[in-house]
Amino acid sequence: MVRLNRVLLKDAGNAIDKTLSEILVCPLSKQPLRFCEKTKSLVSDTIGVSFPIKDAIPCLVPKDGKILEEEGDASKA
């Protein structure tokens, strides 16, 4: 049984349950978050902050958030 649970957790990776992602909001802006497949994180488009997901648990502590660079700024560099 323990081996089966480890396999399930390993397969789950950094994914997050769809129902849970629909309930969660940004701790700073209180706006909905979207799941980013590329970075496997939750993104607040309102304020441009990405929150990591570790072991299928969203880390929504404001200090864990990373400010996203704007596409326009990245293209100028």
Side-chain angles (χ1 to χ4, degrees), residues 1-12:
M1 187 66 153
V2 173
R3 184 174 287 172
L4 177 63
N5 288 339
R6 287 183 184 163
V7 170
L8 290 174
L9 286 174
K10 183 178 178 183
D11 289 341

Side-chain angles (χ1 to χ4, degrees), residues 37-49:
E37 288 284 336
K38 183 178 178 184
T39 61
K40 304 292 187 209
S41 63
L42 292 171
V43 176
S44 174
D45 292 320
T46 307
I47 60 173
V49 175

Side-chain angles (χ1 to χ4, degrees), residues 5-6 12-13 15 18 20 28 30 32-34 36 42 51 54-56 58 70:
N5 288 339
R6 287 183 184 163
K18 185 176 179 180
L20 182 60
L28 301 170
K30 307 300 186 241
L33 296 167
R34 71 172 171 84
C36 178
L42 292 171
F51 296 95
K54 298 178 183 174
D55 298 324
E70 293 182 25

